[in-house]
Amino acid sequence: MTARKNESWDDFWTRVNGAGTETIRGVEVQVPTDVPLAMEQRLKALEDSESEDDIREMVGLLFGADVLGQWTENGMGLMEFKTVLAWGMAHAGGAKVTFQEAYDIVLAEEASEGKAPNRAQRRAASNSRSASTGGRSRRTSSASTGSARRTSLA
């Protein structure tokens, strides 16, 4: 790509990233094209926070101030919110995913959370291989690992 004479940084960056807008629940938002540095820093600080103010701040950094309030007023549900966040973060990270792909990501993550392991997974876990040889571990007899039986003094 050749540089254009007298092109401003903003014009250059818009051209490189193909910035645009999307209407989500009646609110026009910029399509994220990068993760804001402030968001990167705040995510580490707020890693375990569930505060509504903190969530509002993160959404504001990604999509714009008070977008979360407008989406809430317009009836956005939790699954919609998770899908929009997945879509926005993917775009901010450079992956041009569709809303359907973002929704599929959210569904896959929710399915993997809290799902009990199936029978095959339990069997695989119980038949672990030895770390040093890669072979199956052998059960150690209780005679070699057990403690001597003690009698009560009472």
Side-chain angles (χ1 to χ4, degrees), residues 78-104:
L78 182 58
M79 185 57 88
E80 285 179 275
F81 180 65
K82 289 179 180 182
T83 302
V84 168
L85 280 184
W87 175 83
M89 289 302 291
H91 276 265
K96 308 286 191 235
V97 301
T98 65
F99 290 120
Q100 181 64 54
E101 290 166 333
Y103 179 70
D104 293 341

Side-chain angles (χ1 to χ4, degrees), residues 1-12:
M1 223 177 242
T2 60
R4 296 179 183 171
K5 290 184 179 182
N6 301 324
E7 181 178 36
S8 72
W9 171 258
D10 291 340
D11 292 339
F12 161 74

Side-chain angles (χ1 to χ4, degrees), residues 25-37:
R25 272 292 175 168
V27 181
E28 189 171 337
V29 296
Q30 286 291 127
V31 176
T33 57
D34 201 356
V35 178
L37 289 176

Side-chain angles (χ1 to χ4, degrees), residues 19-66:
T21 60
E22 228 7 281
T23 302
I24 300 173
R25 272 292 175 168
V27 181
E28 189 171 337
V29 296
Q30 286 291 127
V31 176
T33 57
D34 201 356
V35 178
L37 289 176
M39 184 173 195
E40 188 73 27
Q41 294 166 348
R42 289 295 288 154
L43 279 173
K44 290 175 186 168
L46 303 174
E47 200 167 41
D48 296 322
S49 175
E50 293 182 11
S51 162
E52 186 176 330
D53 289 337
D54 293 339
I55 294 168
R56 188 176 307 281
E57 178 186 355
M58 293 297 101
V59 172
L61 288 170
L62 191 61
F63 291 107
D66 199 40

